Amino acid sequence: MPIHPEGHGTEAYGTEAYGTEKVMEELAGVEHERWAHWQRYLHSRCERRSDGSLTIPAELVRRWEAQMATPYAELSEAEKESDREQVRRYLPLLVAMFGPAV
């Protein structure tokens, strides 16, 4: 189970807020796959040091810091599409659970 530094792990929320334990586990599975996908991408873009640590290239740090400071509505269409790609991982599960109005 990944540990998120911002404290956004499943322990921060009770299962009652999201329904049954089954719903929690299914969403947690999607979240883990999304996180693992991002980590694979991030690691592939970093420079690996002899001690095993990774260094993020300065160009990527600048780009990602700018994206972090930008509200969704102001992102480029390509950046928005990247976020939509991530939502598509959750959407089928949410629609199956709650219907197409979600």
Side-chain angles (χ1 to χ4, degrees):
M1 178 66 64
I3 298 171
H4 301 276
E6 298 85 9
H8 292 209
T10 57
E11 71 284 352
Y13 308 99
T15 56
E16 295 170 4
Y18 292 99
T20 67
E21 184 65 29
K22 182 179 181 215
V23 171
M24 176 65 79
E25 287 305 305
E26 289 187 37
L27 289 172
V30 172
E31 172 55 21
H32 177 73
E33 179 51 39
R34 189 209 57 77
W35 174 84
H37 178 267
W38 168 250
Q39 288 298 312
R40 285 190 291 274
Y41 175 72
L42 176 62
H43 286 218
S44 76
R45 302 299 306 262
C46 292
E47 298 169 23
R48 186 169 295 276
R49 303 289 183 198
S50 60
D51 67 355
S53 63
L54 299 170
T55 300
I56 301 173
E59 170 195 332
L60 292 176
V61 171
R62 281 190 293 275
R63 187 173 96 199
W64 291 336
E65 285 181 345
Q67 287 175 332
M68 285 186 283
T70 305
Y72 177 78
E74 296 174 22
L75 293 174
S76 71
E77 197 52 40
E79 291 167 330
K80 287 179 179 178
E81 184 55 30
S82 178
D83 287 344
R84 291 179 195 123
E85 180 182 318
Q86 297 306 311
V87 171
R88 288 183 189 105
R89 295 170 182 265
Y90 291 88
L91 194 56
L93 184 57
L94 294 174
V95 170
M97 289 181 198
F98 303 111
V102 172

mmCIF file of all heavy atoms in Angstrom, residues 1-6 31-46 48 54 56 64 86 89:
data_model
loop_
_atom_site.group_PDB
_atom_site.id
_atom_site.type_symbol
_atom_site.label_atom_id
_atom_site.label_comp_id
_atom_site.label_asym_id
_atom_site.label_seq_id
_atom_site.Cartn_x
_atom_site.Cartn_y
_atom_site.Cartn_z
ATOM 1 N N MET A 1 0.849 -1.186 0.000
ATOM 2 C CA MET A 1 0.000 0.000 0.000
ATOM 3 C C MET A 1 0.886 1.239 0.000
ATOM 4 O O MET A 1 1.739 1.389 0.857
ATOM 5 C CB MET A 1 -0.886 -0.031 1.238
ATOM 6 C CG MET A 1 -1.787 1.177 1.368
ATOM 7 S SD MET A 1 -3.053 1.350 0.098
ATOM 8 C CE MET A 1 -4.028 -0.088 0.414
ATOM 9 N N PRO A 2 0.710 2.132 -0.958
ATOM 10 C CA PRO A 2 1.542 3.329 -0.989
ATOM 11 C C PRO A 2 1.232 4.256 0.184
ATOM 12 O O PRO A 2 0.107 4.314 0.661
ATOM 13 C CB PRO A 2 1.140 3.993 -2.308
ATOM 14 C CG PRO A 2 -0.212 3.462 -2.599
ATOM 15 C CD PRO A 2 -0.250 2.083 -2.017
ATOM 16 N N ILE A 3 2.242 4.950 0.639
ATOM 17 C CA ILE A 3 2.063 5.933 1.692
ATOM 18 C C ILE A 3 2.168 7.301 1.050
ATOM 19 O O ILE A 3 3.175 7.642 0.454
ATOM 20 C CB ILE A 3 3.132 5.774 2.789
ATOM 21 C CG1 ILE A 3 2.997 4.390 3.424
ATOM 22 C CG2 ILE A 3 3.008 6.876 3.826
ATOM 23 C CD1 ILE A 3 4.115 4.039 4.367
ATOM 24 N N HIS A 4 1.112 8.071 1.137
ATOM 25 C CA HIS A 4 1.084 9.376 0.518
ATOM 26 C C HIS A 4 1.521 10.420 1.533
ATOM 27 O O HIS A 4 0.957 10.501 2.621
ATOM 28 C CB HIS A 4 -0.327 9.688 0.007
ATOM 29 C CG HIS A 4 -0.796 8.675 -0.979
ATOM 30 N ND1 HIS A 4 -0.470 8.758 -2.306
ATOM 31 C CD2 HIS A 4 -1.507 7.546 -0.836
ATOM 32 C CE1 HIS A 4 -0.997 7.722 -2.938
ATOM 33 N NE2 HIS A 4 -1.632 6.962 -2.061
ATOM 34 N N PRO A 5 2.521 11.231 1.207
ATOM 35 C CA PRO A 5 3.047 12.192 2.172
ATOM 36 C C PRO A 5 2.012 13.222 2.614
ATOM 37 O O PRO A 5 2.119 13.783 3.678
ATOM 38 C CB PRO A 5 4.207 12.858 1.423
ATOM 39 C CG PRO A 5 3.979 12.565 -0.017
ATOM 40 C CD PRO A 5 3.201 11.278 -0.055
ATOM 41 N N GLU A 6 1.008 13.480 1.811
ATOM 42 C CA GLU A 6 -0.006 14.469 2.177
ATOM 43 C C GLU A 6 -1.064 13.878 3.100
ATOM 44 O O GLU A 6 -1.981 14.561 3.517
ATOM 45 C CB GLU A 6 -0.708 15.019 0.927
ATOM 46 C CG GLU A 6 0.223 15.734 -0.017
ATOM 47 C CD GLU A 6 0.911 14.786 -0.972
ATOM 48 O OE1 GLU A 6 0.538 13.599 -1.021
ATOM 49 O OE2 GLU A 6 1.836 15.217 -1.649
ATOM 50 N N GLU A 31 -6.853 3.298 -7.110
ATOM 51 C CA GLU A 31 -5.889 4.306 -6.673
ATOM 52 C C GLU A 31 -4.467 3.745 -6.670
ATOM 53 O O GLU A 31 -3.528 4.414 -7.096
ATOM 54 C CB GLU A 31 -6.246 4.844 -5.283
ATOM 55 C CG GLU A 31 -5.211 5.741 -4.650
ATOM 56 C CD GLU A 31 -4.821 6.947 -5.510
ATOM 57 O OE1 GLU A 31 -5.582 7.343 -6.406
ATOM 58 O OE2 GLU A 31 -3.727 7.482 -5.273
ATOM 59 N N HIS A 32 -4.306 2.528 -6.199
ATOM 60 C CA HIS A 32 -2.963 1.947 -6.185
ATOM 61 C C HIS A 32 -2.416 1.815 -7.605
ATOM 62 O O HIS A 32 -1.246 2.145 -7.853
ATOM 63 C CB HIS A 32 -2.952 0.583 -5.504
ATOM 64 C CG HIS A 32 -1.603 -0.043 -5.550
ATOM 65 N ND1 HIS A 32 -0.557 0.407 -4.777
ATOM 66 C CD2 HIS A 32 -1.114 -1.043 -6.316
ATOM 67 C CE1 HIS A 32 0.519 -0.296 -5.056
ATOM 68 N NE2 HIS A 32 0.208 -1.187 -5.989
ATOM 69 N N GLU A 33 -3.236 1.368 -8.536
ATOM 70 C CA GLU A 33 -2.776 1.225 -9.923
ATOM 71 C C GLU A 33 -2.429 2.583 -10.518
ATOM 72 O O GLU A 33 -1.439 2.735 -11.215
ATOM 73 C CB GLU A 33 -3.840 0.525 -10.779
ATOM 74 C CG GLU A 33 -3.438 0.355 -12.222
ATOM 75 C CD GLU A 33 -2.063 -0.284 -12.420
ATOM 76 O OE1 GLU A 33 -1.710 -1.221 -11.675
ATOM 77 O OE2 GLU A 33 -1.321 0.166 -13.330
ATOM 78 N N ARG A 34 -3.250 3.607 -10.199
ATOM 79 C CA ARG A 34 -2.955 4.958 -10.693
ATOM 80 C C ARG A 34 -1.634 5.453 -10.120
ATOM 81 O O ARG A 34 -0.797 5.987 -10.822
ATOM 82 C CB ARG A 34 -4.093 5.909 -10.300
ATOM 83 C CG ARG A 34 -3.990 7.289 -10.940
ATOM 84 C CD ARG A 34 -4.623 8.358 -10.085
ATOM 85 N NE ARG A 34 -4.062 8.419 -8.748
ATOM 86 C CZ ARG A 34 -2.862 8.977 -8.451
ATOM 87 N NH1 ARG A 34 -2.122 9.496 -9.403
ATOM 88 N NH2 ARG A 34 -2.417 8.993 -7.221
ATOM 89 N N TRP A 35 -1.422 5.246 -8.827
ATOM 90 C CA TRP A 35 -0.181 5.668 -8.168
ATOM 91 C C TRP A 35 1.020 4.913 -8.750
ATOM 92 O O TRP A 35 2.062 5.510 -9.041
ATOM 93 C CB TRP A 35 -0.299 5.418 -6.662
ATOM 94 C CG TRP A 35 0.961 5.677 -5.895
ATOM 95 C CD1 TRP A 35 1.410 6.867 -5.422
ATOM 96 C CD2 TRP A 35 1.938 4.698 -5.527
ATOM 97 N NE1 TRP A 35 2.611 6.700 -4.785
ATOM 98 C CE2 TRP A 35 2.962 5.365 -4.833
ATOM 99 C CE3 TRP A 35 2.047 3.323 -5.716
ATOM 100 C CZ2 TRP A 35 4.067 4.718 -4.325
ATOM 101 C CZ3 TRP A 35 3.156 2.674 -5.215
ATOM 102 C CH2 TRP A 35 4.148 3.376 -4.526
ATOM 103 N N ALA A 36 0.883 3.607 -8.929
ATOM 104 C CA ALA A 36 1.978 2.804 -9.470
ATOM 105 C C ALA A 36 2.321 3.241 -10.893
ATOM 106 O O ALA A 36 3.507 3.309 -11.263
ATOM 107 C CB ALA A 36 1.615 1.318 -9.437
ATOM 108 N N HIS A 37 1.290 3.558 -11.680
ATOM 109 C CA HIS A 37 1.513 4.048 -13.045
ATOM 110 C C HIS A 37 2.328 5.333 -13.007
ATOM 111 O O HIS A 37 3.298 5.492 -13.752
ATOM 112 C CB HIS A 37 0.160 4.271 -13.734
ATOM 113 C CG HIS A 37 0.272 4.820 -15.111
ATOM 114 N ND1 HIS A 37 0.229 6.170 -15.386
ATOM 115 C CD2 HIS A 37 0.430 4.208 -16.311
ATOM 116 C CE1 HIS A 37 0.362 6.354 -16.681
ATOM 117 N NE2 HIS A 37 0.487 5.185 -17.269
ATOM 118 N N TRP A 38 1.964 6.271 -12.125
ATOM 119 C CA TRP A 38 2.694 7.531 -12.001
ATOM 120 C C TRP A 38 4.134 7.283 -11.539
ATOM 121 O O TRP A 38 5.067 7.887 -12.056
ATOM 122 C CB TRP A 38 1.976 8.479 -11.036
ATOM 123 C CG TRP A 38 2.836 9.656 -10.666
ATOM 124 C CD1 TRP A 38 3.401 9.909 -9.465
ATOM 125 C CD2 TRP A 38 3.264 10.714 -11.540
ATOM 126 N NE1 TRP A 38 4.157 11.063 -9.529
ATOM 127 C CE2 TRP A 38 4.096 11.574 -10.795
ATOM 128 C CE3 TRP A 38 3.042 10.995 -12.883
ATOM 129 C CZ2 TRP A 38 4.685 12.706 -11.336
ATOM 130 C CZ3 TRP A 38 3.639 12.140 -13.423
ATOM 131 C CH2 TRP A 38 4.442 12.977 -12.655
ATOM 132 N N GLN A 39 4.326 6.413 -10.576
ATOM 133 C CA GLN A 39 5.675 6.135 -10.080
ATOM 134 C C GLN A 39 6.561 5.528 -11.175
ATOM 135 O O GLN A 39 7.733 5.881 -11.293
ATOM 136 C CB GLN A 39 5.628 5.206 -8.860
ATOM 137 C CG GLN A 39 5.099 5.895 -7.611
ATOM 138 C CD GLN A 39 5.981 7.067 -7.184
ATOM 139 O OE1 GLN A 39 7.204 6.947 -7.107
ATOM 140 N NE2 GLN A 39 5.369 8.206 -6.934
ATOM 141 N N ARG A 40 5.990 4.618 -11.969
ATOM 142 C CA ARG A 40 6.776 4.048 -13.087
ATOM 143 C C ARG A 40 7.197 5.157 -14.045
ATOM 144 O O ARG A 40 8.350 5.196 -14.489
ATOM 145 C CB ARG A 40 5.983 2.973 -13.822
ATOM 146 C CG ARG A 40 5.872 1.660 -13.069
ATOM 147 C CD ARG A 40 5.293 0.548 -13.937
ATOM 148 N NE ARG A 40 3.901 0.765 -14.249
ATOM 149 C CZ ARG A 40 2.882 0.389 -13.466
ATOM 150 N NH1 ARG A 40 3.113 -0.245 -12.332
ATOM 151 N NH2 ARG A 40 1.637 0.636 -13.825
ATOM 152 N N TYR A 41 6.263 6.056 -14.369
ATOM 153 C CA TYR A 41 6.570 7.174 -15.268
ATOM 154 C C TYR A 41 7.633 8.079 -14.647
ATOM 155 O O TYR A 41 8.623 8.427 -15.297
ATOM 156 C CB TYR A 41 5.300 7.970 -15.582
ATOM 157 C CG TYR A 41 5.570 9.196 -16.406
ATOM 158 C CD1 TYR A 41 5.904 9.093 -17.752
ATOM 159 C CD2 TYR A 41 5.512 10.468 -15.832
ATOM 160 C CE1 TYR A 41 6.177 10.220 -18.510
ATOM 161 C CE2 TYR A 41 5.782 11.597 -16.584
ATOM 162 C CZ TYR A 41 6.108 11.474 -17.911
ATOM 163 O OH TYR A 41 6.385 12.591 -18.653
ATOM 164 N N LEU A 42 7.422 8.470 -13.389
ATOM 165 C CA LEU A 42 8.367 9.359 -12.711
ATOM 166 C C LEU A 42 9.764 8.745 -12.672
ATOM 167 O O LEU A 42 10.751 9.397 -13.018
ATOM 168 C CB LEU A 42 7.871 9.655 -11.291
ATOM 169 C CG LEU A 42 8.794 10.506 -10.411
ATOM 170 C CD1 LEU A 42 8.999 11.888 -11.014
ATOM 171 C CD2 LEU A 42 8.227 10.604 -9.008
ATOM 172 N N HIS A 43 9.852 7.499 -12.284
ATOM 173 C CA HIS A 43 11.162 6.838 -12.204
ATOM 174 C C HIS A 43 11.822 6.770 -13.572
ATOM 175 O O HIS A 43 13.043 6.890 -13.681
ATOM 176 C CB HIS A 43 11.015 5.435 -11.616
ATOM 177 C CG HIS A 43 10.758 5.448 -10.140
ATOM 178 N ND1 HIS A 43 11.301 4.513 -9.284
ATOM 179 C CD2 HIS A 43 10.024 6.276 -9.347
ATOM 180 C CE1 HIS A 43 10.927 4.778 -8.049
ATOM 181 N NE2 HIS A 43 10.133 5.829 -8.064
ATOM 182 N N SER A 44 11.023 6.575 -14.632
ATOM 183 C CA SER A 44 11.587 6.484 -15.979
ATOM 184 C C SER A 44 12.163 7.814 -16.446
ATOM 185 O O SER A 44 13.015 7.848 -17.329
ATOM 186 C CB SER A 44 10.528 5.996 -16.978
ATOM 187 O OG SER A 44 9.607 7.031 -17.296
ATOM 188 N N ARG A 45 11.701 8.921 -15.850
ATOM 189 C CA ARG A 45 12.160 10.251 -16.254
ATOM 190 C C ARG A 45 13.298 10.773 -15.391
ATOM 191 O O ARG A 45 13.889 11.806 -15.686
ATOM 192 C CB ARG A 45 10.998 11.255 -16.213
ATOM 193 C CG ARG A 45 9.822 10.887 -17.089
ATOM 194 C CD ARG A 45 10.170 10.798 -18.582
ATOM 195 N NE ARG A 45 10.790 11.967 -19.095
ATOM 196 C CZ ARG A 45 10.184 12.934 -19.761
ATOM 197 N NH1 ARG A 45 8.918 12.829 -20.027
ATOM 198 N NH2 ARG A 45 10.853 13.992 -20.183
ATOM 199 N N CYS A 46 13.597 10.098 -14.302
ATOM 200 C CA CYS A 46 14.637 10.551 -13.374
ATOM 201 C C CYS A 46 15.999 9.946 -13.726
ATOM 202 O O CYS A 46 16.086 8.962 -14.444
ATOM 203 C CB CYS A 46 14.272 10.153 -11.945
ATOM 204 S SG CYS A 46 12.850 11.034 -11.301
ATOM 205 N N ARG A 48 19.063 7.959 -12.308
ATOM 206 C CA ARG A 48 19.383 7.079 -11.185
ATOM 207 C C ARG A 48 20.838 7.275 -10.791
ATOM 208 O O ARG A 48 21.741 7.251 -11.610
ATOM 209 C CB ARG A 48 19.132 5.621 -11.533
ATOM 210 C CG ARG A 48 19.315 4.694 -10.322
ATOM 211 C CD ARG A 48 18.817 3.294 -10.582
ATOM 212 N NE ARG A 48 17.388 3.230 -10.802
ATOM 213 C CZ ARG A 48 16.458 3.165 -9.836
ATOM 214 N NH1 ARG A 48 16.823 3.165 -8.575
ATOM 215 N NH2 ARG A 48 15.179 3.108 -10.126
ATOM 216 N N LEU A 54 17.123 8.754 -6.890
ATOM 217 C CA LEU A 54 16.709 9.296 -8.175
ATOM 218 C C LEU A 54 16.734 10.816 -8.106
ATOM 219 O O LEU A 54 16.355 11.401 -7.096
ATOM 220 C CB LEU A 54 15.299 8.839 -8.529
ATOM 221 C CG LEU A 54 15.084 7.336 -8.680
ATOM 222 C CD1 LEU A 54 13.591 7.019 -8.797
ATOM 223 C CD2 LEU A 54 15.830 6.806 -9.891
ATOM 224 N N ILE A 56 15.252 14.180 -10.095
ATOM 225 C CA ILE A 56 14.313 14.670 -11.110
ATOM 226 C C ILE A 56 15.010 15.770 -11.905
ATOM 227 O O ILE A 56 15.497 16.744 -11.307
ATOM 228 C CB ILE A 56 13.027 15.221 -10.463
ATOM 229 C CG1 ILE A 56 12.339 14.138 -9.626
ATOM 230 C CG2 ILE A 56 12.075 15.759 -11.534
ATOM 231 C CD1 ILE A 56 11.156 14.649 -8.811
ATOM 232 N N TRP A 64 6.428 20.617 -13.618
ATOM 233 C CA TRP A 64 5.453 20.061 -12.670
ATOM 234 C C TRP A 64 5.099 21.078 -11.585
ATOM 235 O O TRP A 64 3.961 21.126 -11.124
ATOM 236 C CB TRP A 64 5.964 18.753 -12.092
ATOM 237 C CG TRP A 64 6.008 17.652 -13.129
ATOM 238 C CD1 TRP A 64 5.255 17.582 -14.272
ATOM 239 C CD2 TRP A 64 6.830 16.504 -13.120
ATOM 240 N NE1 TRP A 64 5.580 16.436 -14.969
ATOM 241 C CE2 TRP A 64 6.530 15.755 -14.291
ATOM 242 C CE3 TRP A 64 7.784 16.018 -12.257
ATOM 243 C CZ2 TRP A 64 7.162 14.550 -14.598
ATOM 244 C CZ3 TRP A 64 8.418 14.814 -12.558
ATOM 245 C CH2 TRP A 64 8.104 14.092 -13.721
ATOM 246 N N GLN A 86 -6.614 9.979 -16.148
ATOM 247 C CA GLN A 86 -6.593 9.393 -14.804
ATOM 248 C C GLN A 86 -8.009 9.156 -14.290
ATOM 249 O O GLN A 86 -8.289 8.145 -13.651
ATOM 250 C CB GLN A 86 -5.819 10.300 -13.844
ATOM 251 C CG GLN A 86 -4.359 10.468 -14.211
ATOM 252 C CD GLN A 86 -3.649 9.131 -14.372
ATOM 253 O OE1 GLN A 86 -3.753 8.252 -13.528
ATOM 254 N NE2 GLN A 86 -2.945 8.954 -15.485
ATOM 255 N N ARG A 89 -9.847 5.990 -15.182
ATOM 256 C CA ARG A 89 -9.549 4.782 -14.399
ATOM 257 C C ARG A 89 -10.637 4.557 -13.344
ATOM 258 O O ARG A 89 -10.952 3.439 -13.003
ATOM 259 C CB ARG A 89 -8.182 4.905 -13.716
ATOM 260 C CG ARG A 89 -7.035 4.978 -14.680
ATOM 261 C CD ARG A 89 -5.756 5.354 -13.944
ATOM 262 N NE ARG A 89 -4.665 5.479 -14.864
ATOM 263 C CZ ARG A 89 -3.804 4.516 -15.143
ATOM 264 N NH1 ARG A 89 -3.904 3.365 -14.538
ATOM 265 N NH2 ARG A 89 -2.845 4.705 -16.015
#
